[in-house]
mmCIF file of all heavy atoms in Angstrom:
data_model
loop_
_atom_site.group_PDB
_atom_site.id
_atom_site.type_symbol
_atom_site.label_atom_id
_atom_site.label_comp_id
_atom_site.label_asym_id
_atom_site.label_seq_id
_atom_site.Cartn_x
_atom_site.Cartn_y
_atom_site.Cartn_z
ATOM 1 N N MET A 653 33.184 17.099 -22.319
ATOM 2 C CA MET A 653 32.827 16.637 -23.633
ATOM 3 C C MET A 653 32.653 17.848 -24.524
ATOM 4 O O MET A 653 32.087 18.854 -24.115
ATOM 5 C CB MET A 653 31.521 15.835 -23.551
ATOM 6 C CG MET A 653 31.065 15.314 -24.864
ATOM 7 S SD MET A 653 29.729 14.134 -24.673
ATOM 8 C CE MET A 653 28.345 15.215 -24.862
ATOM 9 N N GLU A 654 33.144 17.775 -25.730
ATOM 10 C CA GLU A 654 32.986 18.874 -26.682
ATOM 11 C C GLU A 654 32.422 18.321 -27.973
ATOM 12 O O GLU A 654 32.994 17.406 -28.567
ATOM 13 C CB GLU A 654 34.333 19.531 -26.950
ATOM 14 C CG GLU A 654 34.226 20.692 -27.886
ATOM 15 C CD GLU A 654 35.561 21.371 -28.131
ATOM 16 O OE1 GLU A 654 36.543 21.035 -27.444
ATOM 17 O OE2 GLU A 654 35.622 22.213 -29.014
ATOM 18 N N CYS A 655 31.285 18.830 -28.372
ATOM 19 C CA CYS A 655 30.629 18.412 -29.612
ATOM 20 C C CYS A 655 30.382 19.662 -30.442
ATOM 21 O O CYS A 655 29.533 20.473 -30.088
ATOM 22 C CB CYS A 655 29.318 17.699 -29.317
ATOM 23 S SG CYS A 655 29.507 16.229 -28.316
ATOM 24 N N LYS A 656 31.123 19.809 -31.515
ATOM 25 C CA LYS A 656 31.005 21.015 -32.324
ATOM 26 C C LYS A 656 29.816 20.981 -33.266
ATOM 27 O O LYS A 656 29.315 22.011 -33.664
ATOM 28 C CB LYS A 656 32.299 21.233 -33.099
ATOM 29 C CG LYS A 656 33.477 21.478 -32.185
ATOM 30 C CD LYS A 656 34.747 21.650 -32.955
ATOM 31 C CE LYS A 656 35.898 21.872 -31.982
ATOM 32 N NZ LYS A 656 37.171 22.007 -32.651
ATOM 33 N N LYS A 657 29.378 19.785 -33.647
ATOM 34 C CA LYS A 657 28.257 19.659 -34.584
ATOM 35 C C LYS A 657 27.158 18.826 -33.951
ATOM 36 O O LYS A 657 26.789 17.768 -34.429
ATOM 37 C CB LYS A 657 28.725 19.004 -35.879
ATOM 38 C CG LYS A 657 29.763 19.799 -36.630
ATOM 39 C CD LYS A 657 30.202 19.066 -37.870
ATOM 40 C CE LYS A 657 31.298 19.842 -38.585
ATOM 41 N NZ LYS A 657 31.771 19.128 -39.762
ATOM 42 N N ALA A 658 26.639 19.310 -32.836
ATOM 43 C CA ALA A 658 25.622 18.550 -32.112
ATOM 44 C C ALA A 658 24.384 19.403 -31.909
ATOM 45 O O ALA A 658 24.453 20.624 -31.888
ATOM 46 C CB ALA A 658 26.162 18.090 -30.766
ATOM 47 N N GLU A 659 23.279 18.730 -31.758
ATOM 48 C CA GLU A 659 22.039 19.414 -31.388
ATOM 49 C C GLU A 659 21.287 18.523 -30.426
ATOM 50 O O GLU A 659 21.422 17.304 -30.451
ATOM 51 C CB GLU A 659 21.192 19.731 -32.618
ATOM 52 C CG GLU A 659 20.844 18.546 -33.479
ATOM 53 C CD GLU A 659 20.098 18.953 -34.737
ATOM 54 O OE1 GLU A 659 20.654 19.715 -35.535
ATOM 55 O OE2 GLU A 659 18.944 18.518 -34.877
ATOM 56 N N GLY A 660 20.546 19.155 -29.548
ATOM 57 C CA GLY A 660 19.829 18.368 -28.565
ATOM 58 C C GLY A 660 18.759 19.176 -27.871
ATOM 59 O O GLY A 660 18.614 20.381 -28.089
ATOM 60 N N GLU A 661 18.021 18.484 -27.045
ATOM 61 C CA GLU A 661 16.970 19.122 -26.254
ATOM 62 C C GLU A 661 16.756 18.302 -24.995
ATOM 63 O O GLU A 661 17.147 17.141 -24.920
ATOM 64 C CB GLU A 661 15.678 19.244 -27.046
ATOM 65 C CG GLU A 661 15.103 17.923 -27.486
ATOM 66 C CD GLU A 661 13.846 18.091 -28.315
ATOM 67 O OE1 GLU A 661 13.708 19.091 -29.014
ATOM 68 O OE2 GLU A 661 13.002 17.197 -28.227
ATOM 69 N N GLY A 662 16.151 18.923 -24.023
ATOM 70 C CA GLY A 662 15.888 18.213 -22.787
ATOM 71 C C GLY A 662 14.982 19.021 -21.887
ATOM 72 O O GLY A 662 14.578 20.134 -22.216
ATOM 73 N N GLU A 663 14.679 18.432 -20.746
ATOM 74 C CA GLU A 663 13.824 19.110 -19.774
ATOM 75 C C GLU A 663 14.142 18.596 -18.380
ATOM 76 O O GLU A 663 14.563 17.447 -18.206
ATOM 77 C CB GLU A 663 12.355 18.902 -20.103
ATOM 78 C CG GLU A 663 11.934 17.457 -20.170
ATOM 79 C CD GLU A 663 10.515 17.287 -20.687
ATOM 80 O OE1 GLU A 663 10.120 17.997 -21.615
ATOM 81 O OE2 GLU A 663 9.816 16.436 -20.127
ATOM 82 N N ILE A 664 13.970 19.466 -17.414
ATOM 83 C CA ILE A 664 14.150 19.115 -16.009
ATOM 84 C C ILE A 664 12.944 19.642 -15.245
ATOM 85 O O ILE A 664 12.519 20.775 -15.465
ATOM 86 C CB ILE A 664 15.441 19.722 -15.423
ATOM 87 C CG1 ILE A 664 16.667 19.120 -16.107
ATOM 88 C CG2 ILE A 664 15.512 19.487 -13.919
ATOM 89 C CD1 ILE A 664 17.978 19.704 -15.629
ATOM 90 N N THR A 665 12.400 18.820 -14.348
ATOM 91 C CA THR A 665 11.277 19.209 -13.512
ATOM 92 C C THR A 665 11.724 19.183 -12.057
ATOM 93 O O THR A 665 12.244 18.165 -11.586
ATOM 94 C CB THR A 665 10.092 18.243 -13.703
ATOM 95 O OG1 THR A 665 9.737 18.218 -15.084
ATOM 96 C CG2 THR A 665 8.896 18.674 -12.879
ATOM 97 N N TYR A 666 11.559 20.302 -11.376
ATOM 98 C CA TYR A 666 11.905 20.408 -9.960
ATOM 99 C C TYR A 666 10.638 20.283 -9.124
ATOM 100 O O TYR A 666 9.611 20.857 -9.458
ATOM 101 C CB TYR A 666 12.563 21.761 -9.669
ATOM 102 C CG TYR A 666 13.883 21.932 -10.357
ATOM 103 C CD1 TYR A 666 13.970 22.543 -11.605
ATOM 104 C CD2 TYR A 666 15.057 21.482 -9.759
ATOM 105 C CE1 TYR A 666 15.186 22.699 -12.239
ATOM 106 C CE2 TYR A 666 16.276 21.637 -10.384
ATOM 107 C CZ TYR A 666 16.332 22.248 -11.629
ATOM 108 O OH TYR A 666 17.542 22.405 -12.260
ATOM 109 N N ARG A 667 10.719 19.511 -8.037
ATOM 110 C CA ARG A 667 9.591 19.375 -7.121
ATOM 111 C C ARG A 667 10.160 19.337 -5.711
ATOM 112 O O ARG A 667 10.768 18.344 -5.303
ATOM 113 C CB ARG A 667 8.808 18.103 -7.421
ATOM 114 C CG ARG A 667 7.622 17.929 -6.462
ATOM 115 C CD ARG A 667 6.703 16.825 -6.878
ATOM 116 N NE ARG A 667 5.983 17.271 -8.068
ATOM 117 C CZ ARG A 667 5.399 16.474 -8.934
ATOM 118 N NH1 ARG A 667 5.465 15.177 -8.764
ATOM 119 N NH2 ARG A 667 4.765 16.941 -9.965
ATOM 120 N N GLY A 668 10.018 20.432 -4.996
ATOM 121 C CA GLY A 668 10.570 20.515 -3.650
ATOM 122 C C GLY A 668 12.082 20.389 -3.678
ATOM 123 O O GLY A 668 12.764 21.166 -4.320
ATOM 124 N N SER A 669 12.616 19.357 -3.035
ATOM 125 C CA SER A 669 14.065 19.163 -2.983
ATOM 126 C C SER A 669 14.538 18.070 -3.945
ATOM 127 O O SER A 669 15.645 17.559 -3.809
ATOM 128 C CB SER A 669 14.483 18.808 -1.553
ATOM 129 O OG SER A 669 13.868 17.591 -1.160
ATOM 130 N N THR A 670 13.714 17.714 -4.933
ATOM 131 C CA THR A 670 14.100 16.690 -5.901
ATOM 132 C C THR A 670 13.961 17.224 -7.328
ATOM 133 O O THR A 670 13.308 18.237 -7.565
ATOM 134 C CB THR A 670 13.232 15.426 -5.769
ATOM 135 O OG1 THR A 670 11.882 15.755 -6.103
ATOM 136 C CG2 THR A 670 13.300 14.839 -4.368
ATOM 137 N N TYR A 671 14.598 16.519 -8.262
ATOM 138 C CA TYR A 671 14.420 16.842 -9.670
ATOM 139 C C TYR A 671 14.502 15.571 -10.498
ATOM 140 O O TYR A 671 15.102 14.576 -10.109
ATOM 141 C CB TYR A 671 15.431 17.870 -10.165
ATOM 142 C CG TYR A 671 16.850 17.361 -10.274
ATOM 143 C CD1 TYR A 671 17.303 16.783 -11.456
ATOM 144 C CD2 TYR A 671 17.742 17.461 -9.218
ATOM 145 C CE1 TYR A 671 18.597 16.314 -11.568
ATOM 146 C CE2 TYR A 671 19.036 16.999 -9.321
ATOM 147 C CZ TYR A 671 19.458 16.424 -10.508
ATOM 148 O OH TYR A 671 20.738 15.964 -10.617
ATOM 149 N N LYS A 672 13.864 15.611 -11.650
ATOM 150 C CA LYS A 672 13.933 14.542 -12.640
ATOM 151 C C LYS A 672 13.999 15.204 -14.010
ATOM 152 O O LYS A 672 13.464 16.288 -14.204
ATOM 153 C CB LYS A 672 12.696 13.644 -12.590
ATOM 154 C CG LYS A 672 12.615 12.764 -11.377
ATOM 155 C CD LYS A 672 11.413 11.845 -11.464
ATOM 156 C CE LYS A 672 11.349 10.955 -10.225
ATOM 157 N NZ LYS A 672 10.214 10.044 -10.299
ATOM 158 N N GLY A 673 14.654 14.544 -14.938
ATOM 159 C CA GLY A 673 14.723 15.109 -16.270
ATOM 160 C C GLY A 673 15.329 14.149 -17.263
ATOM 161 O O GLY A 673 15.717 13.027 -16.943
ATOM 162 N N ASN A 674 15.408 14.616 -18.498
ATOM 163 C CA ASN A 674 16.033 13.843 -19.558
ATOM 164 C C ASN A 674 16.642 14.796 -20.570
ATOM 165 O O ASN A 674 16.262 15.965 -20.666
ATOM 166 C CB ASN A 674 15.034 12.883 -20.214
ATOM 167 C CG ASN A 674 13.882 13.626 -20.849
ATOM 168 O OD1 ASN A 674 14.058 14.383 -21.779
ATOM 169 N ND2 ASN A 674 12.687 13.407 -20.346
ATOM 170 N N PHE A 675 17.603 14.291 -21.309
ATOM 171 C CA PHE A 675 18.304 15.076 -22.311
ATOM 172 C C PHE A 675 18.607 14.161 -23.488
ATOM 173 O O PHE A 675 19.046 13.036 -23.312
ATOM 174 C CB PHE A 675 19.609 15.620 -21.713
ATOM 175 C CG PHE A 675 20.414 16.427 -22.676
ATOM 176 C CD1 PHE A 675 20.018 17.705 -23.025
ATOM 177 C CD2 PHE A 675 21.570 15.910 -23.233
ATOM 178 C CE1 PHE A 675 20.767 18.450 -23.926
ATOM 179 C CE2 PHE A 675 22.315 16.657 -24.128
ATOM 180 C CZ PHE A 675 21.912 17.930 -24.474
ATOM 181 N N ARG A 676 18.335 14.655 -24.678
ATOM 182 C CA ARG A 676 18.596 13.897 -25.903
ATOM 183 C C ARG A 676 19.521 14.718 -26.790
ATOM 184 O O ARG A 676 19.274 15.897 -27.026
ATOM 185 C CB ARG A 676 17.286 13.616 -26.633
ATOM 186 C CG ARG A 676 16.365 12.719 -25.835
ATOM 187 C CD ARG A 676 14.933 12.730 -26.334
ATOM 188 N NE ARG A 676 14.270 14.026 -26.269
ATOM 189 C CZ ARG A 676 13.778 14.584 -25.170
ATOM 190 N NH1 ARG A 676 13.885 13.965 -24.012
ATOM 191 N NH2 ARG A 676 13.172 15.741 -25.210
ATOM 192 N N MET A 677 20.572 14.095 -27.303
ATOM 193 C CA MET A 677 21.524 14.794 -28.153
ATOM 194 C C MET A 677 21.893 13.914 -29.338
ATOM 195 O O MET A 677 22.011 12.698 -29.206
ATOM 196 C CB MET A 677 22.791 15.136 -27.364
ATOM 197 C CG MET A 677 23.756 15.983 -28.152
ATOM 198 S SD MET A 677 25.178 16.500 -27.184
ATOM 199 C CE MET A 677 26.171 15.032 -27.282
ATOM 200 N N LYS A 678 22.088 14.539 -30.489
ATOM 201 C CA LYS A 678 22.486 13.835 -31.699
ATOM 202 C C LYS A 678 23.661 14.588 -32.303
ATOM 203 O O LYS A 678 23.642 15.818 -32.407
ATOM 204 C CB LYS A 678 21.318 13.792 -32.676
ATOM 205 C CG LYS A 678 21.584 13.019 -33.941
ATOM 206 C CD LYS A 678 20.323 12.998 -34.798
ATOM 207 C CE LYS A 678 20.546 12.282 -36.098
ATOM 208 N NZ LYS A 678 19.323 12.275 -36.917
ATOM 209 N N THR A 679 24.697 13.849 -32.716
ATOM 210 C CA THR A 679 25.873 14.464 -33.312
ATOM 211 C C THR A 679 26.414 13.561 -34.410
ATOM 212 O O THR A 679 26.133 12.371 -34.448
ATOM 213 C CB THR A 679 26.972 14.728 -32.250
ATOM 214 O OG1 THR A 679 28.041 15.451 -32.854
ATOM 215 C CG2 THR A 679 27.493 13.455 -31.645
ATOM 216 N N VAL A 680 27.185 14.148 -35.312
ATOM 217 C CA VAL A 680 27.841 13.393 -36.372
ATOM 218 C C VAL A 680 29.339 13.621 -36.242
ATOM 219 O O VAL A 680 29.802 14.759 -36.264
ATOM 220 C CB VAL A 680 27.346 13.827 -37.775
ATOM 221 C CG1 VAL A 680 28.082 13.071 -38.857
ATOM 222 C CG2 VAL A 680 25.846 13.633 -37.899
ATOM 223 N N GLU A 681 30.082 12.549 -36.056
ATOM 224 C CA GLU A 681 31.541 12.602 -35.944
ATOM 225 C C GLU A 681 32.143 11.605 -36.932
ATOM 226 O O GLU A 681 31.785 10.431 -36.918
ATOM 227 C CB GLU A 681 31.990 12.253 -34.521
ATOM 228 C CG GLU A 681 31.574 13.256 -33.466
ATOM 229 C CD GLU A 681 32.319 14.572 -33.573
ATOM 230 O OE1 GLU A 681 33.470 14.582 -34.057
ATOM 231 O OE2 GLU A 681 31.743 15.597 -33.166
ATOM 232 N N ASP A 682 33.035 12.065 -37.767
ATOM 233 C CA ASP A 682 33.706 11.207 -38.753
ATOM 234 C C ASP A 682 32.718 10.408 -39.591
ATOM 235 O O ASP A 682 32.933 9.233 -39.883
ATOM 236 C CB ASP A 682 34.695 10.258 -38.065
ATOM 237 C CG ASP A 682 35.820 11.000 -37.345
ATOM 238 O OD1 ASP A 682 36.242 12.068 -37.855
ATOM 239 O OD2 ASP A 682 36.244 10.540 -36.277
ATOM 240 N N GLY A 683 31.613 11.042 -39.956
ATOM 241 C CA GLY A 683 30.617 10.397 -40.799
ATOM 242 C C GLY A 683 29.673 9.449 -40.087
ATOM 243 O O GLY A 683 28.810 8.855 -40.714
ATOM 244 N N GLN A 684 29.817 9.287 -38.779
ATOM 245 C CA GLN A 684 28.938 8.398 -38.025
ATOM 246 C C GLN A 684 28.014 9.213 -37.133
ATOM 247 O O GLN A 684 28.459 10.136 -36.456
ATOM 248 C CB GLN A 684 29.749 7.437 -37.161
ATOM 249 C CG GLN A 684 30.541 6.436 -37.958
ATOM 250 C CD GLN A 684 31.132 5.358 -37.069
ATOM 251 O OE1 GLN A 684 31.044 5.416 -35.862
ATOM 252 N NE2 GLN A 684 31.736 4.361 -37.691
ATOM 253 N N THR A 685 26.734 8.852 -37.140
ATOM 254 C CA THR A 685 25.757 9.516 -36.290
ATOM 255 C C THR A 685 25.727 8.848 -34.928
ATOM 256 O O THR A 685 25.664 7.622 -34.836
ATOM 257 C CB THR A 685 24.366 9.456 -36.930
ATOM 258 O OG1 THR A 685 24.423 10.092 -38.204
ATOM 259 C CG2 THR A 685 23.330 10.162 -36.068
ATOM 260 N N MET A 686 25.805 9.661 -33.887
ATOM 261 C CA MET A 686 25.729 9.150 -32.523
ATOM 262 C C MET A 686 24.550 9.817 -31.823
ATOM 263 O O MET A 686 24.320 11.002 -31.987
ATOM 264 C CB MET A 686 27.015 9.458 -31.759
ATOM 265 C CG MET A 686 28.225 8.758 -32.311
ATOM 266 S SD MET A 686 29.713 9.054 -31.331
ATOM 267 C CE MET A 686 30.074 10.738 -31.777
ATOM 268 N N THR A 687 23.821 9.028 -31.053
ATOM 269 C CA THR A 687 22.690 9.535 -30.289
ATOM 270 C C THR A 687 22.927 9.228 -28.811
ATOM 271 O O THR A 687 23.313 8.115 -28.467
ATOM 272 C CB THR A 687 21.380 8.868 -30.740
ATOM 273 O OG1 THR A 687 21.222 9.092 -32.135
ATOM 274 C CG2 THR A 687 20.189 9.442 -30.006
ATOM 275 N N MET A 688 22.706 10.235 -27.968
ATOM 276 C CA MET A 688 22.883 10.052 -26.535
ATOM 277 C C MET A 688 21.586 10.419 -25.834
ATOM 278 O O MET A 688 21.034 11.492 -26.064
ATOM 279 C CB MET A 688 24.013 10.941 -26.016
ATOM 280 C CG MET A 688 24.253 10.798 -24.528
ATOM 281 S SD MET A 688 25.717 11.678 -23.921
ATOM 282 C CE MET A 688 25.266 13.381 -24.212
ATOM 283 N N ASN A 689 21.086 9.525 -25.010
ATOM 284 C CA ASN A 689 19.897 9.762 -24.197
ATOM 285 C C ASN A 689 20.312 9.671 -22.731
ATOM 286 O O ASN A 689 20.855 8.656 -22.307
ATOM 287 C CB ASN A 689 18.807 8.730 -24.483
ATOM 288 C CG ASN A 689 18.323 8.814 -25.906
ATOM 289 O OD1 ASN A 689 17.980 9.875 -26.389
ATOM 290 N ND2 ASN A 689 18.314 7.695 -26.591
ATOM 291 N N THR A 690 20.063 10.733 -21.979
ATOM 292 C CA THR A 690 20.472 10.784 -20.584
ATOM 293 C C THR A 690 19.264 11.021 -19.697
ATOM 294 O O THR A 690 18.475 11.919 -19.965
ATOM 295 C CB THR A 690 21.492 11.928 -20.365
ATOM 296 O OG1 THR A 690 22.578 11.762 -21.264
ATOM 297 C CG2 THR A 690 22.003 11.945 -18.945
ATOM 298 N N LYS A 691 19.124 10.213 -18.642
ATOM 299 C CA LYS A 691 18.088 10.418 -17.638
ATOM 300 C C LYS A 691 18.747 11.004 -16.397
ATOM 301 O O LYS A 691 19.819 10.546 -15.990
ATOM 302 C CB LYS A 691 17.386 9.115 -17.281
ATOM 303 C CG LYS A 691 16.501 8.589 -18.384
ATOM 304 C CD LYS A 691 15.756 7.354 -17.923
ATOM 305 C CE LYS A 691 14.847 6.842 -19.023
ATOM 306 N NZ LYS A 691 14.087 5.667 -18.578
ATOM 307 N N LEU A 692 18.107 11.986 -15.790
ATOM 308 C CA LEU A 692 18.637 12.660 -14.612
ATOM 309 C C LEU A 692 17.667 12.506 -13.450
ATOM 310 O O LEU A 692 16.458 12.530 -13.639
ATOM 311 C CB LEU A 692 18.810 14.159 -14.895
ATOM 312 C CG LEU A 692 19.587 14.545 -16.147
ATOM 313 C CD1 LEU A 692 19.362 16.007 -16.469
ATOM 314 C CD2 LEU A 692 21.047 14.259 -15.947
ATOM 315 N N ALA A 693 18.206 12.381 -12.254
ATOM 316 C CA ALA A 693 17.390 12.373 -11.043
ATOM 317 C C ALA A 693 18.288 12.755 -9.883
ATOM 318 O O ALA A 693 19.449 12.357 -9.828
ATOM 319 C CB ALA A 693 16.764 11.003 -10.800
ATOM 320 N N GLY A 694 17.769 13.546 -8.964
ATOM 321 C CA GLY A 694 18.564 13.936 -7.817
ATOM 322 C C GLY A 694 17.717 14.414 -6.664
ATOM 323 O O GLY A 694 16.526 14.678 -6.807
ATOM 324 N N LYS A 695 18.351 14.504 -5.497
ATOM 325 C CA LYS A 695 17.667 14.939 -4.286
ATOM 326 C C LYS A 695 18.650 15.723 -3.435
ATOM 327 O O LYS A 695 19.795 15.289 -3.234
ATOM 328 C CB LYS A 695 17.162 13.725 -3.507
ATOM 329 C CG LYS A 695 16.454 14.065 -2.222
ATOM 330 C CD LYS A 695 15.955 12.816 -1.525
ATOM 331 C CE LYS A 695 15.252 13.189 -0.237
ATOM 332 N NZ LYS A 695 14.759 12.009 0.462
ATOM 333 N N TYR A 696 18.234 16.857 -2.914
ATOM 334 C CA TYR A 696 19.059 17.660 -2.023
ATOM 335 C C TYR A 696 19.144 16.961 -0.683
ATOM 336 O O TYR A 696 18.139 16.650 -0.067
ATOM 337 C CB TYR A 696 18.457 19.053 -1.868
ATOM 338 C CG TYR A 696 19.244 19.935 -0.929
ATOM 339 C CD1 TYR A 696 20.478 20.433 -1.298
ATOM 340 C CD2 TYR A 696 18.747 20.265 0.323
ATOM 341 C CE1 TYR A 696 21.210 21.238 -0.440
ATOM 342 C CE2 TYR A 696 19.462 21.064 1.187
ATOM 343 C CZ TYR A 696 20.701 21.554 0.801
ATOM 344 O OH TYR A 696 21.415 22.343 1.648
ATOM 345 N N LEU A 697 20.365 16.681 -0.232
ATOM 346 C CA LEU A 697 20.573 15.968 1.020
ATOM 347 C C LEU A 697 21.028 16.883 2.153
ATOM 348 O O LEU A 697 21.167 16.431 3.284
ATOM 349 C CB LEU A 697 21.620 14.863 0.822
ATOM 350 C CG LEU A 697 21.264 13.797 -0.203
ATOM 351 C CD1 LEU A 697 22.418 12.826 -0.376
ATOM 352 C CD2 LEU A 697 19.991 13.075 0.183
ATOM 353 N N GLY A 698 21.291 18.131 1.853
ATOM 354 C CA GLY A 698 21.747 19.069 2.869
ATOM 355 C C GLY A 698 23.080 19.679 2.485
ATOM 356 O O GLY A 698 23.678 19.309 1.486
ATOM 357 N N PRO A 699 23.577 20.590 3.296
ATOM 358 C CA PRO A 699 24.837 21.242 2.989
ATOM 359 C C PRO A 699 26.016 20.278 3.146
ATOM 360 O O PRO A 699 25.924 19.275 3.860
ATOM 361 C CB PRO A 699 24.923 22.366 4.022
ATOM 362 C CG PRO A 699 24.054 21.932 5.144
ATOM 363 C CD PRO A 699 22.958 21.111 4.527
ATOM 364 N N CYS A 700 27.110 20.592 2.471
ATOM 365 C CA CYS A 700 28.325 19.780 2.568
ATOM 366 C C CYS A 700 28.919 19.907 3.972
ATOM 367 O O CYS A 700 28.872 20.978 4.559
ATOM 368 C CB CYS A 700 29.357 20.235 1.539
ATOM 369 S SG CYS A 700 28.844 19.947 -0.143
ATOM 370 N N PRO A 701 29.480 18.815 4.495
ATOM 371 C CA PRO A 701 30.116 18.881 5.801
ATOM 372 C C PRO A 701 31.305 19.842 5.776
ATOM 373 O O PRO A 701 32.034 19.911 4.794
ATOM 374 C CB PRO A 701 30.603 17.456 6.066
ATOM 375 C CG PRO A 701 29.837 16.598 5.096
ATOM 376 C CD PRO A 701 29.502 17.471 3.945
ATOM 377 N N LYS A 702 31.516 20.581 6.843
ATOM 378 C CA LYS A 702 32.634 21.516 6.930
ATOM 379 C C LYS A 702 33.932 20.766 7.122
ATOM 380 O O LYS A 702 33.955 19.704 7.744
ATOM 381 C CB LYS A 702 32.435 22.503 8.080
ATOM 382 C CG LYS A 702 31.270 23.436 7.848
ATOM 383 C CD LYS A 702 31.141 24.440 8.971
ATOM 384 C CE LYS A 702 29.979 25.367 8.705
ATOM 385 N NZ LYS A 702 29.829 26.358 9.767
ATOM 386 N N GLY A 703 35.015 21.315 6.575
ATOM 387 C CA GLY A 703 36.335 20.741 6.773
ATOM 388 C C GLY A 703 36.678 19.586 5.850
ATOM 389 O O GLY A 703 37.652 18.910 6.079
ATOM 390 N N ARG A 704 35.901 19.365 4.821
ATOM 391 C CA ARG A 704 36.217 18.258 3.889
ATOM 392 C C ARG A 704 36.447 18.787 2.516
ATOM 393 O O ARG A 704 35.976 19.643 2.001
ATOM 394 C CB ARG A 704 35.098 17.249 3.847
ATOM 395 C CG ARG A 704 35.011 16.483 5.125
ATOM 396 C CD ARG A 704 34.024 15.383 4.989
ATOM 397 N NE ARG A 704 33.922 14.703 6.268
ATOM 398 C CZ ARG A 704 33.218 13.644 6.468
ATOM 399 N NH1 ARG A 704 32.543 13.090 5.496
ATOM 400 N NH2 ARG A 704 33.163 13.084 7.645
#
């Protein structure tokens, strides 16, 4: 994704092998304002299997 006229902010919190966060972005394209709100969450499950 490429947004030349965008601004945003967010935060991520790490706790052990997990993380949670959010990101908010606002942009104007062709005279229309777009707002994107993203929630993030993840957990480390281990290394990738070899040979794949």
Side-chain angles (χ1 to χ4, degrees):
M653 180 169 94
E654 182 179 351
C655 300
K656 296 178 181 178
K657 297 178 183 178
E659 56 185 61
E661 61 182 31
E663 57 188 40
I664 295 178
T665 303
Y666 295 93
R667 179 170 289 159
S669 62
T670 65
Y671 70 90
K672 289 184 180 181
N674 61 64
F675 179 74
R676 295 164 298 283
M677 186 175 81
K678 183 177 178 180
T679 186
V680 178
E681 294 290 332
D682 298 326
Q684 292 190 354
T685 301
M686 295 184 287
T687 303
M688 180 173 65
N689 297 309
T690 305
K691 289 184 179 182
L692 308 165
K695 179 179 180 180
Y696 179 72
L697 299 176
C700 294
K702 293 183 179 180
R704 290 187 183 185

